[in-house]
Amino acid sequence: MKNLVGINSRVEEVINHIGIGLDDVRYIGICGMGGLGKTTIARIVYEALQSEFEVAYFLANVRETCEKNGIVQAQKDLLVHINGSSSEIDYKYDGRRIIQASLCHKKVLLVLDHINGSSSNVKNEYDGRITIQTFLHRKKVLLVLDDINKEEQLKNLAEEKNWFGSGSRVIITTRDMQLLKIQDAHEIYNVETMAENEAFDLFRMKAFKHRMPEEEYLVVKYCDGLPLALDVLGSHFYGKSIKEWHSALGKLKSIPNADIFEKLKISYDGLDFMDQDIFLDIACYFKGCFKVSVTNILEKRGYHVEIGIATLINRSLLAIKNKCSCEVLEMHDLLEEMGRHITIEESPNDPSKRSRLRCYEDIDLVLTQNKFLEKLKYVMLNYCSRLKQIPDLSEAPNLEELYLDCCVELNNFPSYLTRHKSLVKLSLGDCSSLETLGSKLEMSSLKELDLGGCTSLKKLPEFGECMRHLSILSLWCTAIEELPMTVGCLVDLKKLNLQECKRLTCLPNSIQELKSLTAFNLNGCLNLLQSWYSLSGLTLLVTLKLVACCLTSQESSSYNLGHLVSLMNLDLSRNNFERVPIDIHELPKLRCLNLDNCRHLKVLPELPSSIRMLKARYCISLDPWNSNVIISKACCGFAASAKYDPHELLKMCVTQKQIRLNIWNEIPWWFVHQEQGNGVSVTLPRNETMALALCFQLCPMQRTENDIAHFLYPWMICNGKKIIKESLNRVTYETEYSQYLILCLTSDHFVDQFCQDYRLELELDYYVRTKVQNSGARWVFKQDIQDLNEKSGTKTSKRKATSDLNMN
C-alpha cells in the first residue's frame, strides 16, 4: 500500500502485541470510531505477517455480510478459503465446534472484517463451527475479523482459543470495545485520530499529490484528524485556487451540523447533475451490488455510467472491490448515510416530493394516501405477493420505471398507464394472475416491456404507432396464441423473447418489419414450423435461439436461413433431427453454433470459415468418420480466415460415440502427433504454418451418486506457462460421455522466435471427475487450405454438408 501517512507507527504497535514466535493463542483487538483506518492497519499487519503462518485469511466486512446474509455466510467464506469448500452448516453451535476443531492445534492469524457471509454448502451455524474447528485446530493460523459488531459473530467464527493451533493469532477490528472485553482479548489497540503534522501531511498529499511545505490551510482542523475526511476533502480541493479553497471553507462553516456527514457533501456538491444522480442511486439502492448489473440499469436511464463511476471513485465517494471475480460497488457507511440524507432534504416534510423513496413508511405514505407524486420517477413493488391492484399513480407524470415482478395476485392493469407518456420501463415478470393489459398500448417513451412468466396472459394488446421506441419485449412463458399485426409498429425493437410460448401457432407477416431486431428467442416454441418465411426480412439478426423446437430433418425445405446475413449465434440444441436441416455454411458471419443434446444427430453440418465455437455435447449418435472430417475442415477454414486477426481462437466440443461399455474412439486420425495423457509435444516446422490444431480427449472418471457435474475451467499450458485461459472458461462441462475438446489457434498465441520445440498441455481443476485421456496436434499449412479449397470447388453450393463429407 502506497502513500499512507502515519500508518507505520500504528502498524508497529499492533505487531508488537502479536507476539510472533510465542506458542500461545492470542486475540488482538483494534478498536476505534469509523473512518480512523482500523481496516487499513489490520490489512498491512496481515500482509506483513501472513508468511509466518500455515493458514492466513482476511475476513472483511463481517458486519455488513452478517446483516445481509447471516453468520452462516461468514462461516462459509472462511471455510471456502481454508479448505476450498464449505461443509454442511446450519446452526451457530456447529460453526463454533468446527472452527474449534480446525484451529486448536495451529498457529493462526485471523482477521474478521464485516462478518456476514454464508456458503451454499453450509446449512447451519453448528456445522460451520465444527468444520472450522476441525480444519484449523492443528494449524498455526492468522485470522483477521474486520468490523465485528455483534458477540454472535465471534462466537461462531472464533469463540475459543482451542479452536486454533499453537501460535495462532486472531485480529479483530471493531467499533465496540465491549466485544473485545467479552472475548478476553490479549491486547486492545485504540486507534486515535491523526496528530496535527500527520493530518497536514495526508491532506497535502491528497490536495497536491506529493509532499511539499505549503501553507497550513485551515481546512485541516475541520477534519479533526479523521483520515476519511482528510482523504475526501483533500481530493476535492486538488487543483483548486486559493480563492476557491476559502470559498469552500466558508461553505463548511455555514453548515448547521458541522459533522462528517455534511463535510462529505462538499465533494458531492462538486459533481455535475448526472454524477450526483448516479451517486444518489448507488447510495440509496445499489451499494454492495455488482458493477456490471448497476451499469446496465443506470445506462437505461440515459446516464454515462462508466465515466460517472470513475469520477465518484476519484472523488473518494465510491470504491470497487472484487468479490467472486466480479467488481462490486462499495461505499463507506458515512457516505451512504449522507446520500440518503440528501434525498430527505429535498423535501423534509413531504416524501412525495422527493426523487427517491427508500424508507417503508415514506413509501406507504406516498402510495396509499395518494400524495402529490410529481417528482416520483421509480417505483419498485417486486414480490408484493398480496398486491391485487396497482396503487394510483395517475398523478405521477414523470414516472420512468415501474417494477411489479412476482406480484402473483395482481390481476388488473389500470388503463391510464397504457397511455403514460414518460414510462420507460415496465416490468410485470411472473405476475401469474394478470390476464390483460387492455386493448391498446400507447406509451410513447416505453423502451422495455417485461411480461415474462405471466402465465394467464392469453392476448396481447395492440401496439400504437407511438410505440416505436420499444427496444426490448419479453413474453416468455405466456399463454399468448398469436402476436398482433401491429407488432410491426415496433420499428426499434432489438430483442424479442418468445421462449416457451407453446400456444403460439404462427408469426404475423409484419414480423418482417422489425428491421432493428438483433436477438430473437424462440426456444420451446413447438408450433412455428410453418413460419420460418417470416424471418426473411430480419437482416440485422445476430442471435437466433431455436432450442427444443421439434425441428426434424423432414422439413428441411422450410428452414432456409441463408438470408440472415448478420447471424452470428445460432442455438439448435435439444432438437430431433438426424441431419441439421439448415444450410449452416451459407451463414457468412456465423461464429457460434450450438447442437448440444441433439441425440439423433448423425452427421455434423459443413461449417463456414467464420465459425469460432461449435458445441455438440450429448450428440451420442454422431458418426466418428464424419466428425473427424468436419473437424479437419473447420480447422483449415479457421486457419485461412484467422490471418486477419492473429489472436482469434477456434473452440469445438464434440461428444464421442461409445464403441462399447466404457470403450471410446481415440484421437481423430487427422491429428498426426498423438500422445497419451494431457499433453503433446510438437516442433515448429520449416514450412510456413497458418495455425496449430489441438485435440484433447476428455474421459469421465468413475463417479458416485453424490458427485456433482461441474463446468470445466481448463487452461492451456505451453512450455510451463499459461496461455488463453480466459477464452476457455466454461467451454464445456462434465458428462458421462467421452468428448473431444478441439482448439485451433494461431502461432501468435505461443510461438517464441527463439524456440522450436513446444509442449502443450491441458490442465483441469483437481476436483472434477474428468481426465484428459489422450492428446493430439497438427500444424495447419497453406497446402492444407489449398487442398480443401480444391475439393470444395468440385462440389455444388447446394449439396448437403454430409454428402460433402462422404469419404467413401
Side-chain angles (χ1 to χ4, degrees):
M1 296 185 179
K2 299 180 179 180
N3 300 329
L4 295 177
V5 175
I7 200 71
N8 291 338
S9 60
R10 293 165 172 81
V11 169
E12 289 174 2
E13 191 166 352
V14 173
I15 290 178
N16 289 337
H17 295 323
I18 295 291
I20 294 295
L22 302 178
D23 291 334
D24 61 336
V25 177
R26 293 185 180 183
Y27 295 109
I28 307 297
I30 302 178
C31 189
M33 65 172 291
L36 287 174
K38 301 183 295 296
T39 299
T40 301
I41 295 170
R43 174 67 71 179
I44 296 176
V45 171
Y46 170 83
E47 292 178 354
L49 300 181
Q50 59 179 324
S51 61
E52 301 288 332
F53 297 82
E54 296 175 61
V55 176
Y57 187 53
F58 193 106
L59 191 56
N61 301 319
V62 175
R63 173 190 55 78
E64 184 172 329
T65 300
C66 289
E67 289 176 354
K68 291 183 177 180
N69 303 314
I71 187 62
V72 173
Q73 181 63 53
Q75 291 176 325
K76 290 179 180 180
D77 290 347
L78 176 58
L79 289 170
V80 166
H81 175 79
I82 64 180
N83 194 46
S85 65
S86 55
S87 299
E88 300 288 317
I89 299 181
D90 283 318
Y91 301 103
K92 302 175 183 178
Y93 181 65
D94 293 349
R96 292 198 300 267
R97 289 286 306 278
I98 294 170
I99 296 173
Q100 179 182 5
S102 300
L103 303 181
C104 68
H105 291 287
K106 297 177 181 180
K107 182 177 181 181
V108 181
L109 173 54
L110 176 63
V111 178
L112 304 181
D113 178 35
H114 292 278
I115 300 174
N116 190 33
S118 72
S119 164
S120 59
N121 295 327
V122 176
K123 294 181 178 179
N124 55 57
E125 295 93 331
Y126 176 82
D127 288 340
R129 294 192 296 267
I130 293 296
T131 304
I132 295 172
Q133 182 182 10
T134 300
F135 288 147
L136 299 181
H137 77 284
R138 295 180 181 275
K139 294 181 181 179
K140 180 180 178 182
V141 180
L142 173 61
L143 177 62
V144 177
L145 304 176
D146 181 57
D147 198 12
I148 297 290
N149 72 327
K150 291 185 178 180
E151 183 182 356
E152 70 162 358
Q153 296 164 358
L154 294 174
K155 181 179 180 181
N156 289 289
L157 292 167
E159 182 180 26
E160 301 289 346
K161 293 180 179 179
N162 60 7
W163 285 20
F164 309 97
S166 177
S168 295
R169 298 293 183 266
V170 180
I171 298 175
I172 303 164
T173 72
T174 182
R175 302 179 187 184
D176 190 347
M177 175 72 73
Q178 186 63 25
L179 292 177
L180 298 174
K181 294 179 179 179
I182 294 173
Q183 194 66 17
D184 193 23
H186 183 272
E187 294 285 351
I188 298 176
Y189 176 68
N190 283 302
V191 184
E192 303 292 342
T193 55
M194 282 183 151
E196 187 174 81
N197 62 320
E198 293 175 336
F200 275 106
D201 284 344
L202 175 57
F203 183 75
R204 288 168 180 163
M205 186 181 300
K206 288 294 179 180
F208 304 106
K209 301 305 178 187
H210 57 84
R211 298 175 188 270
M212 58 184 299
E214 296 289 337
E215 65 176 285
E216 298 178 352
Y217 292 101
L218 295 177
V219 67
V220 174
K221 74 176 184 179
Y222 286 99
C223 299
D224 194 24
L226 190 66
L228 176 64
L230 291 164
D231 189 10
V232 172
L233 292 178
S235 298
H236 172 72
F237 287 127
Y238 174 65
K240 299 291 192 301
S241 67
I242 298 298
K243 184 179 296 186
E244 291 172 322
W245 280 49
H246 284 292
S247 176
L249 280 171
K251 183 175 182 179
L252 274 174
K253 295 177 182 179
S254 66
I255 294 176
N257 298 317
D259 53 22
I260 186 60
F261 297 105
E262 293 300 325
K263 292 177 185 177
L264 290 176
K265 195 172 182 292
I266 299 296
S267 289
Y268 170 84
D269 287 341
L271 301 172
D272 61 34
F273 292 125
M274 182 175 291
D275 290 343
Q276 286 183 348
D277 280 341
I278 293 174
F279 172 80
L280 292 178
D281 282 343
I282 295 174
C284 291
Y285 306 118
F286 300 123
K287 178 185 174 183
C289 295
F290 292 122
K291 178 187 174 184
V292 63
S293 300
V294 177
T295 299
N296 289 336
I297 293 173
L298 296 184
E299 281 181 345
K300 293 175 181 177
R301 299 179 184 174
Y303 296 156
H304 300 288
V305 183
E306 289 293 340
I307 186 62
I309 287 179
T311 299
L312 296 180
I313 293 172
N314 290 335
R315 301 290 179 90
S316 300
L317 292 171
L318 191 66
I320 299 290
K321 294 186 178 180
N322 288 321
K323 185 175 184 180
C324 300
S325 301
C326 295
E327 292 183 320
V328 175
L329 299 179
E330 293 293 348
M331 184 180 291
H332 193 280
D333 293 346
L334 298 177
L335 293 170
E336 180 184 14
E337 291 300 323
M338 179 194 74
R340 296 176 183 177
H341 188 67
I342 289 171
T343 63
I344 293 173
E345 285 186 326
E346 293 174 350
S347 178
N349 300 318
D350 189 352
S352 67
K353 295 183 179 180
R354 299 174 192 163
S355 62
R356 295 160 182 83
L357 295 177
R358 193 177 188 278
C359 172
Y360 171 80
E361 290 77 10
D362 291 340
I363 296 174
D364 181 66
L365 175 66
V366 170
L367 295 182
T368 61
Q369 297 186 16
N370 196 23
K371 297 287 290 182
F372 189 59
L373 302 174
E374 66 174 8
K375 280 195 170 186
L376 190 62
K377 292 185 177 182
Y378 315 108
V379 174
M380 183 177 291
L381 297 172
N382 294 347
Y383 298 97
C384 294
S385 58
R386 297 183 180 180
L387 183 69
K388 294 184 178 181
Q389 185 173 343
I390 299 174
D392 186 1
L393 298 172
S394 58
E395 299 297 325
N398 296 310
L399 183 66
E400 295 180 2
E401 298 188 15
L402 177 58
Y403 298 87
L404 295 159
D405 300 306
C406 299
C407 296
V408 294
E409 294 191 12
L410 181 66
N411 55 22
N412 180 50
F413 191 78
S415 59
Y416 66 84
L417 281 178
T418 66
R419 301 181 298 275
H420 202 286
K421 302 304 180 184
S422 298
L423 201 60
V424 174
K425 180 173 181 177
L426 174 60
S427 186
L428 293 159
D430 290 308
C431 292
S432 54
S433 299
L434 187 65
E435 297 182 359
T436 179
L437 268 73
S439 60
K440 190 174 184 179
L441 293 182
E442 296 180 288
M443 307 166 78
S444 56
S445 297
L446 195 65
K447 293 183 178 181
E448 185 171 346
L449 175 59
D450 186 359
L451 298 171
C454 295
T455 53
S456 298
L457 185 65
K458 297 181 179 181
K459 186 177 181 179
L460 288 178
E462 298 291 331
F463 295 106
E465 293 184 1
C466 65
M467 297 283 292
R468 60 179 58 250
H469 297 297
L470 190 69
S471 61
I472 300 176
L473 176 58
S474 184
L475 301 170
W476 57 269
C477 287
T478 58
I480 59 171
E481 298 177 357
E482 62 179 2
L483 293 176
M485 285 295 296
T486 51
V487 71
C489 294
L490 309 179
V491 294
D492 199 35
L493 192 67
K494 294 179 174 59
K495 296 181 180 180
L496 177 57
N497 188 347
L498 298 175
Q499 180 172 339
E500 298 294 330
C501 291
K502 296 182 178 181
R503 297 187 182 184
L504 190 63
T505 56
C506 65
L507 297 175
N509 291 335
S510 58
I511 203 83
Q512 300 182 59
E513 299 175 19
L514 304 181
K515 304 297 185 181
S516 300
L517 197 66
T518 60
F520 200 179
N521 188 340
L522 291 166
N523 291 351
C525 294
L526 308 178
N527 303 307
L528 295 178
L529 299 183
Q530 306 305 318
S531 297
W532 299 114
Y533 68 89
S534 301
L535 305 180
S536 59
L538 307 180
T539 55
L540 293 182
L541 195 64
V542 174
T543 299
L544 178 59
K545 295 184 178 182
L546 300 171
V547 177
C549 287
C550 287
L551 301 183
T552 65
S553 303
Q554 283 68 35
E555 296 90 358
S556 59
S557 60
S558 301
Y559 304 155
N560 180 11
L561 300 181
H563 47 270
L564 301 181
V565 294
S566 300
L567 195 65
M568 300 178 68
N569 306 294
L570 178 59
D571 193 343
L572 299 173
S573 57
R574 294 172 55 200
N575 279 294
N576 300 324
F577 42 65
E578 295 182 359
R579 300 169 184 267
V580 177
I582 296 172
D583 291 331
I584 299 296
H585 66 281
E586 293 185 356
L587 300 172
K589 293 185 179 181
L590 190 68
R591 294 182 65 85
C592 181
L593 175 62
N594 191 345
L595 299 172
D596 284 349
N597 277 286
C598 294
R599 291 175 177 262
H600 300 289
L601 183 65
K602 293 183 178 180
V603 290
L604 292 173
E606 187 172 350
L607 302 170
S609 61
S610 59
I611 201 75
R612 293 299 180 263
M613 170 72 82
L614 171 65
K615 298 178 181 179
R617 299 165 294 197
Y618 282 101
C619 296
I620 58 178
S621 301
L622 283 174
D623 174 55
W625 183 266
N626 163 266
S627 298
N628 295 347
V629 175
I630 289 296
I631 288 171
S632 63
K633 284 190 171 186
C635 291
C636 291
F638 165 81
S641 61
K643 61 184 179 181
Y644 302 108
D645 188 349
H647 298 292
E648 287 269 42
L649 176 68
L650 170 64
K651 297 167 283 187
M652 296 183 284
C653 192
V654 181
T655 293
Q656 289 183 270
K657 187 174 183 179
Q658 192 172 12
I659 300 176
R660 55 184 182 273
L661 186 61
N662 293 327
I663 302 298
W664 314 90
N665 284 310
E666 297 181 352
I667 294 292
W669 53 266
W670 186 75
F671 295 90
V672 294
H673 306 284
Q674 297 193 15
E675 297 181 26
Q676 290 186 342
N678 73 328
V680 60
S681 297
V682 294
T683 299
L684 185 66
R686 295 182 179 179
N687 305 46
E688 185 176 358
T689 61
M690 303 292 291
L692 177 64
L694 299 165
C695 181
F696 299 97
Q697 184 184 28
L698 308 180
C699 294
M701 300 169 63
Q702 187 173 2
R703 303 170 64 88
T704 66
E705 293 183 358
N706 295 326
D707 282 339
I708 300 175
H710 296 89
F711 269 100
L712 300 180
Y713 295 85
W715 58 87
M716 282 295 305
I717 305 294
C718 180
N719 291 349
K721 296 182 179 180
K722 294 181 181 179
I723 59 172
I724 63 172
K725 178 180 179 181
E726 293 77 9
S727 300
L728 298 182
N729 281 350
R730 298 172 68 93
V731 70
T732 187
Y733 51 83
E734 295 184 286
T735 74
E736 65 268 35
Y737 299 99
S738 176
Q739 51 189 320
Y740 295 133
L741 176 60
I742 300 99
L743 305 173
C744 195
L745 55 157
T746 63
S747 57
D748 296 76
H749 282 284
F750 62 91
V751 167
D752 185 336
Q753 60 179 333
F754 300 109
C755 183
Q756 292 292 315
D757 299 316
Y758 297 93
R759 177 70 180 175
L760 295 117
E761 299 172 315
L762 187 76
E763 291 193 3
L764 304 175
D765 289 317
Y766 70 91
Y767 54 80
V768 301
R769 304 295 296 169
T770 298
K771 65 178 179 179
V772 183
Q773 185 79 30
N774 296 292
S775 304
R778 178 186 178 116
W779 292 103
V780 182
F781 301 104
K782 277 190 174 182
Q783 187 61 45
D784 294 316
I785 300 172
Q786 293 172 359
D787 293 344
L788 175 65
N789 291 336
E790 290 175 2
K791 291 180 180 179
S792 299
T794 64
K795 303 169 184 177
T796 64
S797 61
K798 296 298 182 180
R799 292 180 63 187
K800 294 299 178 184
T802 54
S803 298
D804 294 348
L805 300 171
N806 187 351
M807 300 299 294
N808 296 322

